[in-house]
Amino acid sequence: MSTEKTKKQSYKFKAEVSQLLNILTHSLYSHRDVFIRELISNAVDALDKIRFKEIKSEEISHSDLDLEINITLDKDARTFTITDTGIGMSKEELIENIGTIARSGTADFLKAMVAGGEDSVNLIGRFGVGFYSVFMAAEKVELTTRGSGVDAPVYTWISDGEGRFTINEGADDNVRGTKIVAYLREDAEDFADEFRVKNAIKKYSNFVPFPINVNNERVNTISAIWREPKSSVTDEQYNEFFKFIAHLPDDPVARLHFSADVPLQFHSLLYVPKTNMEIMGFGREDDGIQLFVRRVMIDSNSKDILPQYLRFVRGVLESDDLPLNISRETLQENPHLMKIKNIIVSKLLSQLAELANTQPDAYKELWQQHGRIIKEGYNDYANKDKVAELFRFDSSKPDADGLVGLSEYVERMHEKQEGIFFLSGASREALINHPTMELFKSKGIEVLFCYDPIDEFVLPGLFEFKGKKILSADQADISKLDEIKSEKSENDENKPEIDKKAASDLAHRMKNILGDKVEDVKISERLVDSPAVLVSKDSAMSSQMEKIMHMVNKDTKIASKVLEINPAHTLILDMEKLYQNDAVDPRLDILVESLYASVMLLDGTIEDPHAMAAAIQSALSQSAAMMSDKSE
Ligand code: ADP
């Protein structure tokens, strides 16, 4: 072997990695012990992988080796050495995993560092670059690794974190797995101190499912926290376990530790993280749940357990009812797993609903982070009511604060109210003052406000909630609201007498003037203070939905709408007079075009703002000309 020692090659780190190392080595001084957690986490992964191979009866070298992690500390030599008997790495893997090819997470981690400052080093493991954290404490790192194949060669990777690394072949007697020697910086010598290191392990890695020995003494005590009875696990242990598996720095906002024995046996421990990395802009949540069968990790990232709309949940599921040698493909169809999934999802949804009832402030925080993703669950038909129970919206209620639940809305509904009304638009201001709201306001009927494009699918997609139909306020058949008395009844008494014939003559003339721009002009039942509003034809898409479709595909024509006019409004009454005096009075054309332009602005569906501005300006010029004629 020794002759092969000459095979030494030198490589350069990819630019982003160099940049990352530079920050880690030269500017981070807090949270340095994160590196212990990261190296242990990598060793655990490597051990899990070897155990999985063993289960599948694949040939591995030294199959009699104990699966364990050994840490040796040498104060005099100022070294921290961690050894695992895991899967090890080939030369290609070495280069790819901790070498030249920048892992996709490097750039994201750097971004997070810039945004979040020194504390973000806690997040390093999330971005798949946790190994490099060792350079916060070490001035030189020597990693020796041997793959699990029977004749796998040994490689040693050495770097001082300053831009380059070398790889030697055949330079160590490592039997299987990986050994990392961290030559500690002078100011990091406490990581060679037994007491210091043991404490860090007890805090961060106590529940690691393999023995961790420090200078030959076993340190971790709890093996699989999710198999323990709830009463024997402290909050702190739960929280540290979460941080370990989720690579997140904050305590979770909710957790569900749930075990069952009959008819199905399983243990589950699930957490809702405080922050939603996807909403924060770090790409789609992709971590899944760790799946264990009889203490063996079958999948470190199972996407088959929770539905997509709960993809921010982290945790562990273990069941002894599943076959050990199951492949990931057949796992999806396993009837046991399907039943377990149903139970867990249902439990989790109930637990979240309970949190909303008992700890509204915590739920508010949870909703603000994860609500956008939970809403995607509107089409989980099996759990529809439970998911809908979790949704929160803003509403016309003054103190709604974006947190009105559907149950709460239903409780407040007017007894004669047909269903749950919602209206979509850009903002609270736009909706509160929208003409469509006038009737609802006058009758004191609450309307849910939706600002998120997905709501256009979510609310109509539910169809109903607790037997109440879900209706878009701008499409609803408002004649059904007749039975609900207006709250401002004295206003009703002061209403001017409406000449229906005059109003419908005017409507007819207006349709002639506007031509194809509108589907029809009708007399409105819904307006109180505004002269006119555009509404969708019955059963057509809601306005907001049309806007979305138009954004997605510019070829989707925005369907022409019905212009409703308020026969009690002075502008309309004056226009009626003009019309009665002279049915083809050109001033009427100007008024109608301008009125149409103003309601289009409110509706927000202007396809061609240039044409619209030109029409308004032309109307203004004509009326200015008429006014100046008059004044002459
Ligand atoms: P992550 O573990 O999140 O992928 P790291 O930067 O910590 O990111 O590690 C990069 C990769 O290097 C790991 O995915 C793994 O493939 C490999 N690796 C690191 N440490 C070990 C180890 N002790 N044994 C085997 N492979 C390892």
Side-chain angles (χ1 to χ4, degrees), residues 38-39 41-43 45-46 49 84 86-89 93 97-98 103 124-132 143 145 177-178 180 247:
E38 293 305 324
L39 295 187
S41 163
N42 284 344
D45 288 349
K49 285 179 190 154
D84 66 67
I87 192 141
M89 282 178 270
E93 284 166 337
N97 294 335
I98 50 180
R103 319 202 76 217
I124 191 161
R126 263 202 81 76
F127 296 92
V129 290
F131 169 76
Y132 298 122
L143 179 152
T145 188
T178 303
I180 298 167
H247 298 287

Side-chain angles (χ1 to χ4, degrees), residues 151-436:
D151 281 322
V154 180
Y155 295 100
T156 302
W157 176 104
I158 302 175
S159 178
D160 59 4
E162 298 286 349
R164 302 195 74 86
F165 63 92
T166 57
I167 295 183
N168 289 348
E169 188 177 333
D172 196 273
D173 55 358
N174 213 10
V175 275
R176 187 189 71 208
T178 303
K179 173 168 132 193
I180 298 167
V181 187
Y183 294 90
L184 300 168
R185 297 163 190 288
E186 230 176 292
D187 64 358
E189 63 180 355
D190 53 331
F191 293 114
D193 180 77
E194 232 179 274
F195 182 74
R196 171 88 171 80
V197 171
K198 279 182 180 167
N199 271 344
I201 295 172
K202 282 212 171 95
K203 180 162 180 226
Y204 294 131
S205 313
N206 205 14
F207 30 71
V208 160
F210 302 98
I212 305 177
N213 306 308
V214 173
N215 288 352
N216 293 321
E217 201 185 312
R218 170 96 186 236
V219 180
N220 57 330
T221 48
I222 312 171
S223 55
I225 191 170
W226 58 94
R227 298 183 76 111
E228 303 283 323
K230 275 191 215 180
S231 56
S232 71
V233 188
T234 64
D235 280 346
E236 202 194 355
Q237 287 169 334
Y238 274 126
N239 290 346
E240 286 308 329
F241 179 65
F242 164 75
K243 292 176 194 172
F244 184 76
I245 56 165
H247 298 287
L248 284 170
D250 298 311
D251 288 345
V253 283
R255 72 166 181 256
L256 174 68
H257 186 179
F258 180 65
S259 298
D261 254 329
V262 271
L264 288 161
Q265 186 280 338
F266 69 89
H267 301 280
S268 62
L269 176 53
L270 305 176
Y271 297 92
V272 178
K274 185 170 176 233
T275 38
N276 190 301
M277 299 305 280
E278 188 171 331
I279 299 281
M280 306 265 288
F282 290 113
R284 197 174 166 87
E285 287 279 5
D286 199 31
D287 273 7
I289 299 291
Q290 296 184 351
L291 179 62
F292 286 77
V293 176
R294 281 169 248 167
R295 302 187 181 234
V296 179
M297 192 196 275
I298 298 294
D299 193 345
S300 60
N301 180 10
S302 176
K303 309 276 176 30
D304 301 322
I305 295 161
L306 294 178
Q308 277 299 305
Y309 67 89
L310 294 174
R311 61 183 174 274
F312 51 87
V313 174
R314 296 282 165 270
V316 175
L317 169 67
E318 172 160 8
S319 173
D320 295 349
D321 287 344
L322 298 171
L324 257 177
N325 55 357
I326 195 164
S327 75
R328 285 178 199 179
E329 293 70 43
T330 50
L331 200 59
Q332 288 173 17
E333 284 128 42
N334 183 282
H336 278 308
L337 188 65
M338 284 205 265
K339 282 186 202 144
I340 294 174
K341 266 161 59 175
N342 291 343
I343 298 172
I344 292 185
V345 172
S346 167
K347 271 264 169 203
L348 190 58
L349 295 174
S350 308
Q351 166 130 351
L352 294 179
E354 197 184 308
L355 182 79
N357 286 332
T358 55
Q359 295 179 52
D361 287 343
Y363 190 73
K364 179 177 174 182
E365 209 180 319
L366 185 151
W367 181 254
Q368 282 164 348
Q369 283 291 320
H370 308 294
R372 171 72 186 62
I373 290 171
I374 296 177
K375 280 194 231 166
E376 293 174 20
Y378 73 91
N379 57 7
D380 177 357
Y381 293 108
N383 294 298
K384 195 176 137 229
D385 290 346
K386 282 188 156 179
V387 182
E389 191 72 65
L390 301 178
F391 294 169
R392 294 293 179 273
F393 299 95
D394 203 12
S395 92
S396 52
K397 193 170 161 276
D399 58 349
D401 199 19
L403 288 170
V404 177
L406 293 173
S407 281
E408 182 190 339
Y409 179 99
V410 169
E411 271 167 35
R412 280 200 291 266
M413 263 170 71
H414 196 285
E415 55 179 318
K416 291 185 178 151
Q417 192 178 325
E418 190 198 357
I420 299 170
F421 293 105
F422 74 94
L423 189 61
S424 308
S427 65
R428 182 174 183 85
E429 292 66 37
L431 292 180
I432 276 276
N433 298 315
H434 198 282
T436 302

Side-chain angles (χ1 to χ4, degrees), residues 14-28 105-107 109-110 113 124 128-133 135-136 161:
K14 191 100 178 192
E16 284 118 276
V17 177
S18 283
Q19 207 182 338
L20 170 69
L21 288 174
N22 202 336
I23 295 176
L24 290 173
T25 44
H26 298 298
S27 47
L28 290 180
T106 319
F109 177 69
L110 287 171
M113 282 290 304
I124 191 161
V129 290
F131 169 76
Y132 298 122
S133 62
F135 284 103
M136 289 195 294

